[in-house]
């Protein structure tokens, strides 16, 4: 570890001792030329892997025309990307941001304004779920409700009521005259790859309808093809009123979006919200290029097929090494391995095999490969996981003996 005083950066990240210089597809290559199979993908950001030719060409071409324009002017790429999101989702309206947390901030503001313009300014409370993660701004740490992210940052932003994950009784008890909305990730990412069952999402939709609450989905991690559909909510057959999107939609370029129905967004009138960078021409060019690939025929089927290869392979690893791995979770290429050994030990063992993964809550290891991963690469990842599990298994057995 570096001496805190010897380097210029905030010490907020515990960084691995790895320096990558370039990337090709699903592979990251260090300064020394060592190749790592990247099943973390910038935490579900690099949806099309590294150096994707269509993204590189689009970015270069746009860089020679215009980078940034204020939102006081029309930005055709923004209208185009907005229309494509509208055409392919529940939404009628889109607001572009630079990050997931900002997309959530916009979602929260949209929900509060909806009730405000309906004559109910007192309805500003949003119900969230234990284990949630919605970002690191002051409002989104309050929404996530995790003590470790709130500690020392002053009074928690008011208006977020948290209930246990999957506890319908507690949820119903939490709804009151001040409640505006329910906010949930269809699959908790940071919280340990915990999917909300489809029937549970349908129940939430019903509870929202019965109580005039808005349903806000956080699909920052689960969206844009990650689960084998454009958005994870599609599996359940329901639609939200508002949705936060980021990560995969930019393919590595900082880009987020808040989507809403026209009704839910009716309070978001001229001047009530804004952004300097959100939706700038460079970001819009890349976002449109990502959709060119993701929305092409057969792309989601490819994601579903690769997910199946991974799922079957992981199931057999669990059978053989129960003293190391306990359970497989998730949907599509948002996968979690619940570990028996500490997940940090497992992540390190995988890194020793040159496979990059990322930890999550509940002692889980997340596998989030670029969606363009091939079957051969999936099998290579499985053999690396198997090799790591085998080594950890020997250590685990020696401890017991
Ligand atoms: C990453 C993430 C966020 C925050 O996104 P940032 O771009 O880091 O602000 C919010 N919600 C979920 C579900 C995420 O995975």
């Amino acid at each position: 570890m570096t001496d805190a005083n010897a380097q210029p950066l905030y010490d907020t990240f515990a960084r691995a001792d790895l320096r990558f210089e370039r990337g090709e597809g699903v592979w990251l290559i260090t300064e020394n030329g060592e190749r790592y199979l990247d099943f973390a993908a910038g935490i579900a950001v690099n949806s099309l892997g590294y150096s994707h030719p269509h993204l590189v060409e689009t970015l270069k071409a746009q860089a020679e025309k215009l980078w940034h324009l204020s939102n006081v002017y029309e930005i055709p790429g923004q209208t185009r990307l907005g229309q494509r999101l509208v055409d392919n989702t529940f939404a009628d309206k889109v607001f572009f941001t630079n990050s997931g947390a900002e997309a959530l901030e916009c979602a929260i503001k949209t929900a509060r304004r909806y009730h405000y313009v309906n004559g109910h300014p007192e309805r500003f409370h949003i119900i969230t779920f234990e284990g949630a993660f919605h970002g690191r701004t002051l409002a989104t740490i309050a929404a996530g409700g995790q003590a470790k992210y709130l500690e020392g940052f002053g009074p928690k932003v008011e208006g977020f009521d948290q209930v246990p994950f999957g506890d319908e009784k507690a949820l119903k008890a939490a709804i009151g005259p001040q409640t505006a909305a329910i906010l949930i990730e269809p699959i908790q990412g940071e919280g340990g790859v915990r999917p909300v069952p489809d029937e549970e999402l349908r129940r939430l939709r019903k509870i929202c309808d019965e109580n005039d609450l808005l349903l806000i989905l956080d699909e920052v991690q689960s969206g844009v093809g990650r689960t084998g559909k454009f958005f994870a909510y599609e599996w359940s057959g329901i639609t939200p009123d508002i949705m936060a999107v980021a990560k995969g939609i930019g393919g590595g370029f900082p880009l987020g979006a808040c989507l809403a129905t026209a009704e839910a967004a009716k309070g978001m009138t001229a001047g009530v919200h804004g952004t300097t960078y959100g939706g700038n021409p460079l970001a819009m060019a890349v976002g449109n290029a990502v959709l060119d690939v993701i929305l092409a025929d057969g792309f989601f089927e490819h994601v579903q097929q690769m997910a199946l290869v991974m799922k079957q392979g992981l199931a057999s690893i669990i059978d053989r090494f129960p003293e190391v791995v306990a359970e497989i979770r998730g949907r599509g290429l948002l996968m979690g391995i619940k570990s028996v050994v500490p997940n940090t030990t497992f992540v390190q063992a995988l890194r020793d095999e040159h496979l990059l993964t990322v930890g999550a809550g509940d002692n889980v290891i997340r596998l989030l490969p670029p969606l363009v991963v091939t079957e051969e690469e999936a099998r290579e990842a499985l053999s690396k996981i198997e090799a790591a599990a085998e080594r950890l298994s020997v250590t685990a057995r020696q401890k017991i003996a």
Side-chain angles (χ1 to χ4, degrees), residues 224-378:
V224 197
R226 177 63 44 195
T227 69
K229 294 218 185 258
F230 195 21
F231 289 99
Y233 74 80
E234 294 170 37
W235 291 105
S236 70
I238 61 113
T239 58
D241 302 291
I242 303 172
M243 181 167 77
V245 178
K247 294 202 166 117
I249 194 170
F253 199 92
L255 170 57
C258 175
L259 279 60
T261 63
E263 174 68 8
K266 70 183 180 185
M268 300 303 272
T269 49
V272 307
H273 191 48
T275 169
T276 296
Y277 291 116
N280 90 1
L282 212 42
M284 294 300 99
V286 176
N288 273 305
V290 169
L291 290 203
D292 290 344
V293 178
I294 299 253
L295 294 177
D297 274 352
F299 191 87
F300 298 141
E301 287 73 15
H302 169 78
V303 173
Q304 290 172 25
Q305 266 160 22
M306 293 310 105
L308 193 64
V309 170
M310 288 301 299
K311 203 172 158 188
Q312 287 170 343
L314 290 171
S316 114
I317 291 171
I318 286 204
D319 285 347
R320 274 173 299 146
F321 304 104
E323 63 281 23
V324 181
V325 282
E327 194 193 337
I328 303 302
R329 300 170 177 181
R331 188 166 231 170
L333 293 177
L334 204 181
M335 295 166 286
I337 303 175
K338 168 111 171 130
S339 183
V340 178
V341 301
N343 62 351
T344 46
T345 306
F346 206 147
V347 167
Q348 184 55 54
L350 292 168
R351 202 177 280 158
D352 294 341
E353 299 292 333
H354 285 205
L355 177 67
L356 303 174
T357 61
V358 59
D362 203 21
N363 206 35
V364 162
I365 294 117
R366 266 179 293 176
L367 302 175
L368 307 156
L371 307 179
V372 294
V373 65
T374 63
E375 179 162 349
E376 196 189 344
E377 288 159 341

Side-chain angles (χ1 to χ4, degrees), residues 90-91 93-116 123-128 133-135 137 139-140 143 159-160 179-186 213-220 240-246 256-261 263-268 272-275:
F90 73 97
K93 292 287 196 182
V94 181
F95 184 94
F96 288 107
T97 68
N98 312 291
S99 67
E102 284 171 288
L104 263 304
E105 290 271 343
C106 178
I108 294 161
K109 288 175 80 173
T110 302
R112 288 184 174 187
R113 277 289 292 192
Y114 167 81
H115 290 288
Y116 174 83
R123 296 185 67 174
F124 66 90
H125 279 245
I126 295 175
I127 296 173
T128 66
F133 182 80
H134 299 298
T137 62
T140 54
F160 296 96
T179 311
I182 292 174
L183 165 61
I184 192 164
E185 297 155 84
L213 305 179
L214 297 171
L215 180 61
I216 309 173
L217 293 183
D218 180 347
E219 291 233 27
V220 168
D241 302 291
I242 303 172
M243 181 167 77
V245 178
C258 175
L259 279 60
T261 63
E263 174 68 8
K266 70 183 180 185
M268 300 303 272
V272 307
H273 191 48
T275 169

Side-chain angles (χ1 to χ4, degrees), residues 1-326:
M1 281 285 107
T2 37
D3 173 354
N5 298 316
Q7 60 93 16
L9 306 176
Y10 266 41
D11 296 298
T12 47
F13 298 105
R15 295 173 196 273
D17 189 17
L18 278 172
R19 289 155 178 258
F20 295 110
E21 191 174 64
R22 63 200 171 85
E24 290 168 6
V26 181
W27 297 87
L28 275 172
I29 298 135
T30 65
E31 289 175 347
N32 317 326
E34 286 179 53
R35 292 167 68 84
Y36 284 76
L37 196 51
D38 184 10
F39 270 44
I43 314 197
V45 167
N46 301 309
S47 46
L48 303 184
Y50 301 95
S51 310
H52 191 286
H54 184 51
L55 298 198
V56 173
E57 274 163 36
T58 305
L59 184 94
K60 279 186 180 165
Q62 185 61 44
E64 288 173 2
K65 291 192 226 161
L66 263 181
W67 294 15
H68 178 75
L69 259 188
S70 165
N71 276 304
V72 305
Y73 306 110
E74 290 200 11
I75 300 172
Q78 208 179 106
T79 313
R80 174 155 185 260
L81 185 55
Q83 189 62 51
R84 293 172 87 184
L85 289 170
V86 165
D87 290 344
N88 288 284
T89 67
F90 73 97
D92 307 304
K93 292 287 196 182
V94 181
F95 184 94
F96 288 107
T97 68
N98 312 291
S99 67
E102 284 171 288
L104 263 304
E105 290 271 343
C106 178
I108 294 161
K109 288 175 80 173
T110 302
R112 288 184 174 187
R113 277 289 292 192
Y114 167 81
H115 290 288
Y116 174 83
V117 298
N118 277 347
H120 289 288
E122 77 286 359
R123 296 185 67 174
F124 66 90
H125 279 245
I126 295 175
I127 296 173
T128 66
F129 297 84
E130 280 175 12
F133 182 80
H134 299 298
R136 299 294 200 108
T137 62
L138 288 169
T140 54
I141 56 174
Q146 298 207 36
K148 63 179 177 186
Y149 297 149
L150 285 159
E151 191 187 344
F153 294 117
K156 190 177 149 204
V157 170
E158 221 189 314
F160 296 96
D161 304 319
Q162 195 155 72
V163 299
F165 191 76
D167 184 340
E168 199 177 320
K169 233 171 114 189
L171 170 66
K172 284 190 167 154
I175 299 172
Q178 291 190 308
T179 311
I182 292 174
L183 165 61
I184 192 164
E185 297 155 84
I187 301 170
Q188 280 191 349
E190 308 288 320
V193 190
R194 297 199 292 174
V196 180
D198 292 339
E199 58 273 25
E200 173 73 13
L201 266 189
R202 289 193 283 267
R203 255 197 309 274
L204 289 178
R205 177 69 271 177
K206 193 156 166 275
I207 290 169
C208 284
D209 292 342
E210 288 166 356
N211 295 279
D212 186 25
L213 305 179
L214 297 171
L215 180 61
I216 309 173
L217 293 183
D218 180 347
E219 291 233 27
V220 168
Q221 193 158 151
S222 60
V224 197
R226 177 63 44 195
T227 69
K229 294 218 185 258
F230 195 21
F231 289 99
Y233 74 80
E234 294 170 37
W235 291 105
S236 70
I238 61 113
T239 58
D241 302 291
I242 303 172
M243 181 167 77
V245 178
K247 294 202 166 117
I249 194 170
F253 199 92
L255 170 57
C258 175
L259 279 60
T261 63
E263 174 68 8
K266 70 183 180 185
M268 300 303 272
T269 49
V272 307
H273 191 48
T275 169
T276 296
Y277 291 116
N280 90 1
L282 212 42
M284 294 300 99
V286 176
N288 273 305
V290 169
L291 290 203
D292 290 344
V293 178
I294 299 253
L295 294 177
D297 274 352
F299 191 87
F300 298 141
E301 287 73 15
H302 169 78
V303 173
Q304 290 172 25
Q305 266 160 22
M306 293 310 105
L308 193 64
V309 170
M310 288 301 299
K311 203 172 158 188
Q312 287 170 343
L314 290 171
S316 114
I317 291 171
I318 286 204
D319 285 347
R320 274 173 299 146
F321 304 104
E323 63 281 23
V324 181
V325 282

